[in-house]
């Protein structure tokens, strides 16, 4: 039987927690996100948002049924809240994003923005009945009748809490992309071209100043989709950001 905890020295590098102040940290329960792209709800409430002083307090907060993930009541403090998920605590709303250091951040968002989220299409398969099942980055599966409607790398706008597709951003040249990996993680840039490899090599995407693999590209509609100052900065402006962090009190 697997343990519900792990040592802090071995926790994912994307978690914005100290490693040597304690020995153990809670693991997220199995779900749609990988351990590197999500954190347990109890740890978020206690260590990241500072809304609870202990794990017991975090569990009591969750038990009040006033904590929601993607618009639905969540009663499991071990539930993983990952990239682009919407976390609601009472009247406050937060969206999970990656900053320029590759750390998971839960940024405040207005109520109107909490009614939707972006999901990247990871792939699609044909299921019984000739229908197509689209696989999204957060573990969701959506069934569509038209196999050519969505492609891998596209981004779907999911309405919350009904979780229906309300929009679509195609992965094409000229679109704005949010980078979720590599040396430019946390920044945004416009796609110049795509290079599809007819081999086992990863597909590549070229931007104005650099290139990266297609798996790191998350297509967004505009900078307003990301509740963070870093999204407004291009890769060439990242050196100037050190002074800005001190002014806005980033942790």
């Amino acid at each position: 039987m697997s343990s519900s905890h792990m040592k802090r020295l071995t926790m994912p590098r994307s978690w914005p927690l100290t490693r040597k102040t304690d020995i153990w940290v809670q693991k997220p329960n199995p779900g749609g996100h990988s351990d590197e792209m999500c954190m347990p709800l109890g740890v978020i409430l206690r260590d990241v948002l500072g809304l609870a002083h202990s794990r017991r307090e975090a569990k009591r907060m969750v038990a009040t049924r006033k904590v929601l993930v993607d618009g639905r009541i969540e009663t499991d403090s071990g539930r993983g809240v990952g990239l682009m998920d919407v976390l609601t605590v009472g009247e406050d709303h937060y969206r999970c994003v990656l900053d320029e250091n590759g750390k998971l951040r839960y940024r405040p968002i207005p109520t109107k923005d909490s009614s939707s989220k972006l999901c990247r299409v990871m792939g699609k398969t044909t299921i019984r009945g000739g229908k197509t099942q689209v696989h999204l980055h957060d573990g969701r599966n959506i069934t569509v009748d038209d196999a050519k409607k969505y492609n891998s790398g596209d981004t779907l706008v999911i309405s919350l809490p009904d979780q229906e597709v309300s929009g679509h951003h195609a992965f094409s040249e000229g679109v704005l992309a949010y980078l979720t990996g590599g040396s430019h993680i946390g920044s945004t840039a416009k796609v110049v071209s795509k290079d599809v490899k007819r081999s086992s090599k990863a597909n590549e995407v070229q931007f104005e100043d650099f290139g990266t693999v297609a798996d790191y590209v998350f297509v967004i509609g505009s900078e307003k989709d990301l509740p963070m100052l870093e999204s407004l900065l291009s890769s060439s402006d990242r050196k100037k950001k050190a002074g800005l962090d001190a002014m806005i009190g980033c942790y």
Side-chain angles (χ1 to χ4, degrees):
M1 184 176 65
S2 61
S3 174
S4 62
H5 286 71
M6 60 182 167
K7 288 194 174 182
R8 286 197 173 220
L9 290 176
T10 62
M11 70 181 179
R13 298 181 63 182
S14 60
W15 292 19
L17 305 178
T18 56
R19 293 182 180 272
K20 297 184 178 181
T21 53
D22 294 286
I23 298 177
W24 303 99
V25 67
Q26 183 182 6
K27 290 174 60 178
N29 292 339
H33 294 283
S34 64
D35 289 352
E36 291 77 16
M37 287 297 171
C38 74
M39 293 181 65
L41 181 56
V43 174
I44 297 170
L45 296 175
R46 182 191 63 188
D47 299 328
V48 179
L49 299 180
L51 301 177
H53 294 91
S54 63
R55 187 181 177 191
R56 176 178 292 184
E57 284 189 11
K59 285 185 175 181
R60 288 180 176 177
M61 290 180 64
V62 175
T64 62
R65 302 179 68 85
K66 294 183 179 180
V67 177
L68 292 78
V69 178
D70 289 344
R72 295 186 175 182
I73 296 174
E74 185 57 59
T75 58
D76 181 10
S77 63
R79 204 270 202 196
V81 182
L83 184 64
M84 294 298 179
D85 285 352
V86 176
L87 171 63
T88 301
V89 183
E91 301 296 327
D92 299 325
H93 307 279
Y94 308 87
R95 189 182 302 280
C96 178
V97 292
L98 287 164
D99 67 7
E100 79 287 354
N101 294 318
K103 302 293 185 181
L104 292 170
R105 302 296 183 183
Y106 297 83
R107 305 293 194 191
I109 58 175
T111 303
K112 64 177 182 179
D113 291 345
S114 66
S115 60
S116 65
K117 66 175 291 188
L118 300 180
C119 291
R120 184 178 187 271
V121 177
M122 305 300 293
K124 53 185 181 180
T125 55
T126 302
I127 59 176
R128 182 179 299 177
K131 295 184 177 181
T132 299
Q133 191 175 69
V134 179
H135 312 300
L136 304 183
H137 83 279
D138 61 351
R140 302 170 194 265
N141 294 314
I142 296 177
T143 303
V144 296
D145 295 327
D146 186 1
K148 298 181 179 179
K149 190 173 184 179
Y150 308 124
N151 297 314
S152 297
D154 291 357
T155 296
L156 305 185
V157 182
I158 306 296
S159 59
L160 304 176
D162 55 359
Q163 304 193 26
E164 299 291 336
V165 179
S166 61
H168 172 220
H169 301 307
F171 185 17
S172 59
E173 297 179 2
V175 298
L176 186 64
Y178 172 54
L179 301 176
T180 59
S183 59
H184 297 272
I185 189 171
S187 61
T188 59
K190 286 191 175 182
V191 175
V192 174
S193 63
K194 297 191 300 180
D195 185 9
V196 179
K197 303 291 185 180
R198 301 298 180 183
S199 65
S200 59
K201 294 184 178 180
N203 295 334
E204 296 181 359
V205 179
Q206 297 297 324
F207 298 93
E208 184 177 355
D209 301 324
F210 62 95
T212 188
V213 296
D215 290 343
Y216 294 160
V217 177
F218 197 119
V219 178
I220 60 176
S222 66
E223 288 89 351
K224 295 181 180 179
D225 293 332
L226 301 175
M228 52 196 298
L229 178 64
E230 294 86 3
S231 65
L232 302 178
L233 301 178
S234 64
S235 58
S236 61
D237 293 331
R238 300 175 74 184
K239 294 181 180 179
K240 302 177 183 179
K241 189 184 172 298
L244 294 176
D245 283 346
M247 288 191 293
I248 65 175
C250 290
Y251 51 86

Short mmCIF file of all heavy atoms in Angstrom, two decimals, residues 72-126:
data_model
loop_
_atom_site.label_atom_id
_atom_site.label_comp_id
_atom_site.label_asym_id
_atom_site.label_seq_id
_atom_site.Cartn_x
_atom_site.Cartn_y
_atom_site.Cartn_z
N ARG A 72 -17.05 22.80 -8.07
CA ARG A 72 -17.73 21.69 -7.39
C ARG A 72 -17.18 21.52 -5.97
O ARG A 72 -15.97 21.65 -5.75
CB ARG A 72 -17.57 20.40 -8.18
CG ARG A 72 -18.26 20.45 -9.54
CD ARG A 72 -18.23 19.12 -10.26
NE ARG A 72 -18.99 19.16 -11.50
CZ ARG A 72 -19.16 18.13 -12.32
NH1 ARG A 72 -18.58 16.97 -12.02
NH2 ARG A 72 -19.88 18.25 -13.42
N ILE A 73 -18.07 21.21 -5.04
CA ILE A 73 -17.68 21.07 -3.63
C ILE A 73 -16.66 19.95 -3.49
O ILE A 73 -16.83 18.85 -4.02
CB ILE A 73 -18.91 20.80 -2.76
CG1 ILE A 73 -19.86 22.00 -2.80
CG2 ILE A 73 -18.50 20.49 -1.33
CD1 ILE A 73 -21.17 21.77 -2.08
N GLU A 74 -15.58 20.23 -2.76
CA GLU A 74 -14.52 19.24 -2.53
C GLU A 74 -14.40 18.98 -1.03
O GLU A 74 -14.23 19.92 -0.24
CB GLU A 74 -13.19 19.74 -3.08
CG GLU A 74 -12.07 18.73 -2.98
CD GLU A 74 -12.41 17.42 -3.67
OE1 GLU A 74 -12.68 17.44 -4.88
OE2 GLU A 74 -12.41 16.38 -2.96
N THR A 75 -14.51 17.72 -0.62
CA THR A 75 -14.43 17.35 0.79
C THR A 75 -13.18 16.54 1.11
O THR A 75 -13.04 16.08 2.24
CB THR A 75 -15.68 16.55 1.20
OG1 THR A 75 -15.79 15.38 0.37
CG2 THR A 75 -16.93 17.40 1.03
N ASP A 76 -12.30 16.34 0.15
CA ASP A 76 -11.08 15.56 0.35
C ASP A 76 -9.89 16.51 0.41
O ASP A 76 -9.56 17.16 -0.58
CB ASP A 76 -10.91 14.56 -0.79
CG ASP A 76 -9.67 13.69 -0.62
OD1 ASP A 76 -9.06 13.73 0.47
OD2 ASP A 76 -9.31 12.98 -1.58
N SER A 77 -9.24 16.58 1.58
CA SER A 77 -8.10 17.49 1.74
C SER A 77 -6.87 17.02 0.96
O SER A 77 -5.90 17.77 0.81
CB SER A 77 -7.74 17.63 3.21
OG SER A 77 -7.33 16.38 3.76
N GLY A 78 -6.88 15.80 0.46
CA GLY A 78 -5.77 15.28 -0.33
C GLY A 78 -5.96 15.44 -1.82
O GLY A 78 -5.11 15.03 -2.60
N ARG A 79 -7.04 16.06 -2.23
CA ARG A 79 -7.33 16.24 -3.65
C ARG A 79 -6.29 17.16 -4.28
O ARG A 79 -5.99 18.22 -3.77
CB ARG A 79 -8.72 16.85 -3.78
CG ARG A 79 -9.41 16.58 -5.12
CD ARG A 79 -9.12 17.63 -6.16
NE ARG A 79 -10.15 17.62 -7.19
CZ ARG A 79 -10.02 18.19 -8.36
NH1 ARG A 79 -8.89 18.80 -8.68
NH2 ARG A 79 -10.99 18.16 -9.24
N GLY A 80 -5.74 16.75 -5.40
CA GLY A 80 -4.73 17.56 -6.06
C GLY A 80 -5.36 18.69 -6.85
O GLY A 80 -6.26 18.46 -7.66
N VAL A 81 -4.89 19.92 -6.62
CA VAL A 81 -5.34 21.09 -7.37
C VAL A 81 -4.19 21.51 -8.26
O VAL A 81 -3.13 21.91 -7.77
CB VAL A 81 -5.76 22.23 -6.43
CG1 VAL A 81 -6.27 23.42 -7.23
CG2 VAL A 81 -6.82 21.76 -5.45
N GLY A 82 -4.38 21.40 -9.58
CA GLY A 82 -3.26 21.56 -10.49
C GLY A 82 -3.43 22.67 -11.50
O GLY A 82 -4.30 23.54 -11.37
N LEU A 83 -2.59 22.64 -12.51
CA LEU A 83 -2.47 23.71 -13.49
C LEU A 83 -3.82 24.09 -14.10
O LEU A 83 -4.54 23.23 -14.60
CB LEU A 83 -1.50 23.27 -14.59
CG LEU A 83 -1.17 24.30 -15.67
CD1 LEU A 83 -0.46 25.50 -15.06
CD2 LEU A 83 -0.33 23.67 -16.76
N MET A 84 -4.14 25.37 -14.02
CA MET A 84 -5.35 26.00 -14.56
C MET A 84 -6.61 25.68 -13.76
O MET A 84 -7.70 26.17 -14.10
CB MET A 84 -5.57 25.64 -16.04
CG MET A 84 -4.52 26.21 -16.96
SD MET A 84 -4.50 28.01 -16.93
CE MET A 84 -3.16 28.36 -18.06
N ASP A 85 -6.52 24.89 -12.70
CA ASP A 85 -7.69 24.62 -11.87
C ASP A 85 -8.13 25.89 -11.14
O ASP A 85 -7.30 26.75 -10.82
CB ASP A 85 -7.40 23.52 -10.85
CG ASP A 85 -7.36 22.14 -11.49
OD1 ASP A 85 -7.70 22.04 -12.68
OD2 ASP A 85 -6.99 21.17 -10.79
N VAL A 86 -9.42 25.98 -10.84
CA VAL A 86 -9.97 27.10 -10.09
C VAL A 86 -10.31 26.63 -8.68
O VAL A 86 -11.11 25.71 -8.50
CB VAL A 86 -11.22 27.67 -10.78
CG1 VAL A 86 -11.84 28.78 -9.93
CG2 VAL A 86 -10.88 28.21 -12.15
N LEU A 87 -9.70 27.24 -7.69
CA LEU A 87 -9.94 26.92 -6.28
C LEU A 87 -10.76 28.04 -5.66
O LEU A 87 -10.39 29.22 -5.76
CB LEU A 87 -8.61 26.76 -5.54
CG LEU A 87 -8.69 26.63 -4.01
CD1 LEU A 87 -9.47 25.39 -3.61
CD2 LEU A 87 -7.29 26.60 -3.41
N THR A 88 -11.88 27.69 -5.04
CA THR A 88 -12.76 28.66 -4.40
C THR A 88 -12.82 28.37 -2.91
O THR A 88 -13.13 27.24 -2.50
CB THR A 88 -14.17 28.60 -5.00
OG1 THR A 88 -14.11 28.88 -6.40
CG2 THR A 88 -15.08 29.62 -4.34
N VAL A 89 -12.51 29.38 -2.11
CA VAL A 89 -12.58 29.26 -0.65
C VAL A 89 -13.50 30.38 -0.16
O VAL A 89 -13.10 31.55 -0.13
CB VAL A 89 -11.20 29.39 0.01
CG1 VAL A 89 -11.32 29.18 1.52
CG2 VAL A 89 -10.22 28.38 -0.59
N GLY A 90 -14.72 30.01 0.19
CA GLY A 90 -15.68 31.04 0.57
C GLY A 90 -16.04 31.91 -0.61
O GLY A 90 -16.56 31.45 -1.62
N GLU A 91 -15.72 33.20 -0.50
CA GLU A 91 -15.99 34.15 -1.58
C GLU A 91 -14.75 34.46 -2.42
O GLU A 91 -14.81 35.27 -3.35
CB GLU A 91 -16.54 35.47 -0.99
CG GLU A 91 -17.82 35.30 -0.20
CD GLU A 91 -18.97 34.83 -1.08
OE1 GLU A 91 -18.99 35.20 -2.27
OE2 GLU A 91 -19.83 34.08 -0.56
N ASP A 92 -13.62 33.84 -2.09
CA ASP A 92 -12.36 34.11 -2.78
C ASP A 92 -12.08 33.02 -3.81
O ASP A 92 -12.34 31.83 -3.56
CB ASP A 92 -11.20 34.19 -1.79
CG ASP A 92 -11.38 35.33 -0.79
OD1 ASP A 92 -11.93 36.37 -1.18
OD2 ASP A 92 -11.00 35.16 0.39
N HIS A 93 -11.51 33.43 -4.93
CA HIS A 93 -11.22 32.50 -6.02
C HIS A 93 -9.74 32.59 -6.40
O HIS A 93 -9.16 33.68 -6.40
CB HIS A 93 -12.08 32.83 -7.25
CG HIS A 93 -13.54 32.91 -6.95
ND1 HIS A 93 -14.35 31.79 -6.87
CD2 HIS A 93 -14.36 33.98 -6.72
CE1 HIS A 93 -15.59 32.17 -6.60
NE2 HIS A 93 -15.62 33.48 -6.50
N TYR A 94 -9.16 31.45 -6.73
CA TYR A 94 -7.74 31.36 -7.09
C TYR A 94 -7.59 30.45 -8.31
O TYR A 94 -8.34 29.49 -8.48
CB TYR A 94 -6.90 30.81 -5.94
CG TYR A 94 -7.08 31.52 -4.63
CD1 TYR A 94 -8.09 31.13 -3.75
CD2 TYR A 94 -6.25 32.56 -4.25
CE1 TYR A 94 -8.27 31.78 -2.53
CE2 TYR A 94 -6.41 33.22 -3.03
CZ TYR A 94 -7.43 32.82 -2.19
OH TYR A 94 -7.60 33.46 -0.98
N ARG A 95 -6.60 30.79 -9.15
CA ARG A 95 -6.28 29.93 -10.28
C ARG A 95 -4.83 29.46 -10.16
O ARG A 95 -3.93 30.26 -9.85
CB ARG A 95 -6.47 30.65 -11.61
CG ARG A 95 -6.36 29.71 -12.83
CD ARG A 95 -6.51 30.44 -14.14
NE ARG A 95 -7.76 31.15 -14.27
CZ ARG A 95 -8.92 30.60 -14.59
NH1 ARG A 95 -8.99 29.30 -14.79
NH2 ARG A 95 -10.02 31.33 -14.71
N CYS A 96 -4.61 28.19 -10.42
CA CYS A 96 -3.26 27.62 -10.34
C CYS A 96 -2.51 27.87 -11.64
O CYS A 96 -2.99 27.52 -12.73
CB CYS A 96 -3.35 26.12 -10.05
SG CYS A 96 -1.75 25.30 -10.00
N VAL A 97 -1.33 28.46 -11.54
CA VAL A 97 -0.48 28.73 -12.69
C VAL A 97 0.97 28.43 -12.31
O VAL A 97 1.29 28.21 -11.13
CB VAL A 97 -0.60 30.19 -13.18
CG1 VAL A 97 -1.97 30.46 -13.77
CG2 VAL A 97 -0.31 31.16 -12.05
N LEU A 98 1.84 28.42 -13.29
CA LEU A 98 3.28 28.26 -13.08
C LEU A 98 3.95 29.61 -13.23
O LEU A 98 3.70 30.33 -14.21
CB LEU A 98 3.86 27.27 -14.07
CG LEU A 98 3.54 25.79 -13.84
CD1 LEU A 98 3.85 24.99 -15.10
CD2 LEU A 98 4.31 25.24 -12.66
N ASP A 99 4.83 29.98 -12.29
CA ASP A 99 5.55 31.25 -12.43
C ASP A 99 6.82 31.05 -13.24
O ASP A 99 7.09 29.96 -13.76
CB ASP A 99 5.83 31.86 -11.05
CG ASP A 99 6.82 31.05 -10.23
OD1 ASP A 99 7.39 30.07 -10.76
OD2 ASP A 99 7.04 31.38 -9.05
N GLU A 100 7.62 32.10 -13.35
CA GLU A 100 8.81 32.05 -14.19
C GLU A 100 9.91 31.15 -13.63
O GLU A 100 10.89 30.86 -14.32
CB GLU A 100 9.36 33.46 -14.43
CG GLU A 100 10.16 34.04 -13.28
CD GLU A 100 9.31 34.44 -12.09
OE1 GLU A 100 8.07 34.37 -12.20
OE2 GLU A 100 9.87 34.82 -11.05
N ASN A 101 9.75 30.72 -12.38
CA ASN A 101 10.70 29.79 -11.78
C ASN A 101 10.19 28.35 -11.79
O ASN A 101 10.82 27.46 -11.20
CB ASN A 101 11.01 30.20 -10.34
CG ASN A 101 11.76 31.52 -10.27
OD1 ASN A 101 12.67 31.77 -11.06
ND2 ASN A 101 11.37 32.39 -9.36
N GLY A 102 9.06 28.13 -12.42
CA GLY A 102 8.50 26.79 -12.49
C GLY A 102 7.78 26.37 -11.24
O GLY A 102 7.53 25.17 -11.05
N LYS A 103 7.41 27.31 -10.38
CA LYS A 103 6.71 27.01 -9.14
C LYS A 103 5.20 27.17 -9.33
O LYS A 103 4.73 28.08 -10.02
CB LYS A 103 7.17 27.94 -8.02
CG LYS A 103 8.66 27.88 -7.72
CD LYS A 103 9.07 26.54 -7.14
CE LYS A 103 10.54 26.55 -6.74
NZ LYS A 103 10.97 25.23 -6.20
N LEU A 104 4.43 26.29 -8.70
CA LEU A 104 2.98 26.39 -8.74
C LEU A 104 2.53 27.55 -7.86
O LEU A 104 2.90 27.64 -6.70
CB LEU A 104 2.35 25.08 -8.25
CG LEU A 104 2.55 23.86 -9.16
CD1 LEU A 104 2.09 22.60 -8.44
CD2 LEU A 104 1.79 24.02 -10.46
N ARG A 105 1.73 28.42 -8.42
CA ARG A 105 1.20 29.57 -7.68
C ARG A 105 -0.32 29.58 -7.80
O ARG A 105 -0.88 29.22 -8.84
CB ARG A 105 1.76 30.88 -8.24
CG ARG A 105 3.27 30.97 -8.22
CD ARG A 105 3.82 30.95 -6.82
NE ARG A 105 5.28 31.12 -6.81
CZ ARG A 105 6.02 31.08 -5.71
NH1 ARG A 105 5.46 30.87 -4.53
NH2 ARG A 105 7.33 31.24 -5.78
N TYR A 106 -0.97 30.01 -6.73
CA TYR A 106 -2.42 30.07 -6.68
C TYR A 106 -2.80 31.54 -6.56
O TYR A 106 -2.83 32.11 -5.48
CB TYR A 106 -2.95 29.21 -5.54
CG TYR A 106 -2.60 27.75 -5.74
CD1 TYR A 106 -1.35 27.25 -5.37
CD2 TYR A 106 -3.49 26.89 -6.38
CE1 TYR A 106 -1.00 25.93 -5.60
CE2 TYR A 106 -3.15 25.56 -6.62
CZ TYR A 106 -1.91 25.09 -6.23
OH TYR A 106 -1.57 23.78 -6.47
N ARG A 107 -3.04 32.17 -7.72
CA ARG A 107 -3.24 33.61 -7.81
C ARG A 107 -4.71 33.97 -7.68
O ARG A 107 -5.58 33.30 -8.25
CB ARG A 107 -2.72 34.13 -9.15
CG ARG A 107 -1.27 33.78 -9.44
CD ARG A 107 -0.31 34.48 -8.51
NE ARG A 107 1.06 34.39 -9.00
CZ ARG A 107 2.13 34.72 -8.29
NH1 ARG A 107 1.99 35.17 -7.07
NH2 ARG A 107 3.34 34.60 -8.81
N PRO A 108 -5.02 35.06 -6.97
CA PRO A 108 -6.42 35.50 -6.85
C PRO A 108 -6.97 35.93 -8.21
O PRO A 108 -6.26 36.53 -9.02
CB PRO A 108 -6.34 36.70 -5.89
CG PRO A 108 -5.02 36.54 -5.19
CD PRO A 108 -4.11 35.88 -6.16
N ILE A 109 -8.22 35.60 -8.46
CA ILE A 109 -8.89 36.00 -9.69
C ILE A 109 -10.27 36.54 -9.34
O ILE A 109 -10.84 36.19 -8.30
CB ILE A 109 -9.03 34.81 -10.68
CG1 ILE A 109 -9.80 33.66 -10.04
CG2 ILE A 109 -7.68 34.37 -11.18
CD1 ILE A 109 -10.09 32.51 -10.99
N PRO A 110 -10.84 37.42 -10.18
CA PRO A 110 -12.20 37.92 -9.92
C PRO A 110 -13.24 36.83 -10.10
O PRO A 110 -12.99 35.81 -10.76
CB PRO A 110 -12.36 39.05 -10.94
CG PRO A 110 -11.36 38.74 -12.01
CD PRO A 110 -10.21 38.05 -11.34
N THR A 111 -14.42 37.07 -9.56
CA THR A 111 -15.49 36.07 -9.61
C THR A 111 -15.86 35.72 -11.04
O THR A 111 -16.13 34.55 -11.36
CB THR A 111 -16.72 36.59 -8.85
OG1 THR A 111 -16.35 36.89 -7.50
CG2 THR A 111 -17.83 35.56 -8.85
N LYS A 112 -15.88 36.69 -11.94
CA LYS A 112 -16.28 36.42 -13.33
C LYS A 112 -15.31 35.48 -14.03
O LYS A 112 -15.72 34.71 -14.92
CB LYS A 112 -16.39 37.74 -14.10
CG LYS A 112 -15.08 38.49 -14.24
CD LYS A 112 -15.26 39.76 -15.07
CE LYS A 112 -13.93 40.49 -15.24
NZ LYS A 112 -14.08 41.71 -16.08
N ASP A 113 -14.03 35.51 -13.64
CA ASP A 113 -13.04 34.62 -14.27
C ASP A 113 -13.10 33.21 -13.69
O ASP A 113 -12.51 32.29 -14.28
CB ASP A 113 -11.63 35.18 -14.08
CG ASP A 113 -11.41 36.45 -14.88
OD1 ASP A 113 -12.23 36.73 -15.78
OD2 ASP A 113 -10.43 37.18 -14.60
N SER A 114 -13.76 33.04 -12.55
CA SER A 114 -13.82 31.72 -11.92
C SER A 114 -14.86 30.81 -12.57
O SER A 114 -15.00 29.65 -12.18
CB SER A 114 -14.14 31.86 -10.44
OG SER A 114 -15.45 32.38 -10.24
N SER A 115 -15.59 31.32 -13.56
CA SER A 115 -16.64 30.54 -14.20
C SER A 115 -16.14 29.76 -15.41
O SER A 115 -16.94 29.16 -16.13
CB SER A 115 -17.80 31.45 -14.62
OG SER A 115 -17.35 32.43 -15.55
N SER A 116 -14.82 29.76 -15.65
CA SER A 116 -14.28 29.02 -16.78
C SER A 116 -12.82 28.68 -16.52
O SER A 116 -12.17 29.29 -15.67
CB SER A 116 -14.40 29.82 -18.08
OG SER A 116 -13.61 30.99 -18.03
N LYS A 117 -12.31 27.72 -17.27
CA LYS A 117 -10.90 27.35 -17.19
C LYS A 117 -10.44 26.87 -18.56
O LYS A 117 -11.26 26.48 -19.41
CB LYS A 117 -10.66 26.27 -16.15
CG LYS A 117 -11.30 24.93 -16.48
CD LYS A 117 -10.94 23.86 -15.46
CE LYS A 117 -9.48 23.47 -15.53
NZ LYS A 117 -9.16 22.30 -14.68
N LEU A 118 -9.13 26.89 -18.78
CA LEU A 118 -8.55 26.43 -20.03
C LEU A 118 -8.00 25.02 -19.85
O LEU A 118 -7.36 24.72 -18.84
CB LEU A 118 -7.44 27.37 -20.48
CG LEU A 118 -7.82 28.83 -20.73
CD1 LEU A 118 -6.60 29.62 -21.18
CD2 LEU A 118 -8.91 28.92 -21.78
N CYS A 119 -8.24 24.16 -20.83
CA CYS A 119 -7.74 22.79 -20.78
C CYS A 119 -7.05 22.48 -22.11
O CYS A 119 -7.63 22.72 -23.19
CB CYS A 119 -8.87 21.80 -20.54
SG CYS A 119 -9.60 21.89 -18.90
N ARG A 120 -5.86 21.95 -22.03
CA ARG A 120 -5.10 21.60 -23.23
C ARG A 120 -5.46 20.20 -23.69
O ARG A 120 -5.59 19.27 -22.89
CB ARG A 120 -3.60 21.67 -22.93
CG ARG A 120 -2.70 21.42 -24.15
CD ARG A 120 -1.24 21.57 -23.76
NE ARG A 120 -0.37 21.51 -24.92
CZ ARG A 120 0.15 20.37 -25.40
NH1 ARG A 120 -0.13 19.22 -24.82
NH2 ARG A 120 0.95 20.40 -26.46
N VAL A 121 -5.63 20.03 -25.00
CA VAL A 121 -5.94 18.72 -25.58
C VAL A 121 -4.64 17.92 -25.67
O VAL A 121 -3.71 18.30 -26.39
CB VAL A 121 -6.59 18.86 -26.97
CG1 VAL A 121 -6.83 17.49 -27.58
CG2 VAL A 121 -7.88 19.65 -26.87
N MET A 122 -4.58 16.81 -24.96
CA MET A 122 -3.38 15.98 -24.94
C MET A 122 -3.41 14.89 -26.02
O MET A 122 -2.38 14.38 -26.44
CB MET A 122 -3.23 15.32 -23.57
CG MET A 122 -3.21 16.31 -22.41
SD MET A 122 -1.85 17.50 -22.52
CE MET A 122 -0.44 16.42 -22.29
N GLY A 123 -4.61 14.53 -26.47
CA GLY A 123 -4.75 13.50 -27.48
C GLY A 123 -6.21 13.13 -27.64
O GLY A 123 -7.09 13.69 -26.98
N LYS A 124 -6.47 12.20 -28.55
CA LYS A 124 -7.85 11.76 -28.77
C LYS A 124 -7.85 10.33 -29.28
O LYS A 124 -6.90 9.88 -29.94
CB LYS A 124 -8.58 12.69 -29.74
CG LYS A 124 -7.86 12.91 -31.07
CD LYS A 124 -8.59 13.93 -31.92
CE LYS A 124 -7.89 14.13 -33.26
NZ LYS A 124 -8.60 15.12 -34.11
N THR A 125 -8.91 9.60 -28.97
CA THR A 125 -9.05 8.21 -29.38
C THR A 125 -10.46 7.98 -29.88
O THR A 125 -11.39 8.72 -29.54
CB THR A 125 -8.74 7.24 -28.22
OG1 THR A 125 -9.59 7.57 -27.10
CG2 THR A 125 -7.29 7.33 -27.79
N THR A 126 -10.63 6.93 -30.66
CA THR A 126 -11.94 6.54 -31.15
C THR A 126 -12.53 5.48 -30.22
O THR A 126 -11.86 4.49 -29.89
CB THR A 126 -11.84 5.98 -32.58
OG1 THR A 126 -11.27 6.97 -33.44
CG2 THR A 126 -13.22 5.60 -33.11
#
